[in-house]
Amino acid sequence: EAQVTQNPRYLITVTGKKLTVTCSQNMNHEYMSWYRQDPGLGLRQIYYSMNVEVTDKGDVPEGYKVSRKEKRNFPLILESPSPNQTSLYFCASSLIGGYTFGSGTRLTVV
Amino acid sequence: AQSVTQPDIHITVSEGASLELRCNYSYGATPYLFWYVQSPGQGLQLLLKYFSGDTLVQGIKGFEAEFKRSQSSFNLRKPSVHWSDAAEYFCAAPRSQGNSNYQLIWGAGTKLIIKP
């Protein structure tokens, strides 16, 4: 089944403790992206990648890192999480024609 | 700047009634256009897309959308809604610069509430 898999689905962590949210797709898509979704602010793009070793900032990249060492994986790294990064995170991959989204990761930073 | 506008934050319809969700875009040229649905606790799912050609596009779950260049609109419709259609709906279009076929601008979303 074609899908984007994110892990974990839920995560509660403390301020400053590094964490990684994994994202993997099995569709051989070149393009992948991370979004965060907050009430009243809609979907905001964090980072995206057009291909292996090619990443670029989205609209809200501060406090996040990404890497794209293989086509299928696009992890999101929070080096020092802060409470304002509490959010619902989505990974997506795409060919031209629409995105396939993961099920989301609900992150709470206390 | 390019923009995608969904004028309605919430819409309430009765089960079995027809539905129309509005989406307006500002673009110089005909854009690609998308509708996505987000059910509670889920990720977003592509409902339908318009690239070119026939302006009436059929999607999954019985939805359709019509591209109207003169009105800069791409409204989503369904003739008879079911309780399972309760969700948030997002309209999207590519950004104009860079790798525009991949980078999307998103509407703010319309939450659909179904009355029994």
Side-chain angles (χ1 to χ4, degrees), chain B residues 2-6 23-27 33 91-94 105-108:
Chain B
Q2 313 303 342
S3 66
V4 173
T5 303
Q6 293 179 248
C23 173
N24 296 100
Y25 65 90
S26 67
Y27 265 79
L33 292 161
C91 183
I105 299 175
W106 296 87

Side-chain angles (χ1 to χ4, degrees), chain B residues 3-107:
Chain B
S3 66
V4 173
T5 303
Q6 293 179 248
D8 305 304
I9 297 174
H10 297 100
I11 282 199
T12 301
V13 299
S14 298
E15 189 170 16
S18 64
L19 169 71
E20 183 167 30
L21 302 182
R22 296 184 290 165
C23 173
N24 296 100
Y25 65 90
S26 67
Y27 265 79
T30 301
Y32 295 175
L33 292 161
F34 304 89
W35 274 101
Y36 288 82
V37 59
Q38 184 180 22
S39 298
Q42 302 295 318
L44 284 79
Q45 181 183 19
L46 180 65
L47 274 177
L48 48 77
K49 60 196 177 193
Y50 171 77
F51 282 0
S52 64
D54 193 345
T55 56
L56 185 61
V57 179
Q58 302 298 320
I60 62 171
K61 303 178 190 269
F63 285 91
E64 66 179 24
E66 186 171 13
F67 170 64
K68 292 186 178 179
R69 184 195 305 274
S70 61
Q71 298 175 20
S72 296
S73 68
F74 187 56
N75 294 349
L76 182 70
R77 303 195 294 243
K78 187 168 185 178
S80 176
V81 298
H82 185 262
W83 65 266
S84 61
D85 293 324
E88 192 157 18
Y89 293 80
F90 293 90
C91 183
R95 302 185 188 207
S96 62
Q97 65 267 17
N99 299 294
S100 59
N101 292 332
Y102 291 100
Q103 290 290 84
L104 296 183
I105 299 175
W106 296 87

Side-chain angles (χ1 to χ4, degrees), chain A residues 2 8-11 23 34 36-37 44 50 60 66 68 81 90-91 93 97:
Chain A
R9 287 294 307 274
Y10 301 91
L11 179 60
C23 174
W34 276 102
R36 61 178 290 174
Q37 186 178 33
R44 295 182 292 168
M50 294 301 300
V60 289
V66 292
R68 188 91 182 273
F90 289 103
C91 180
S93 72

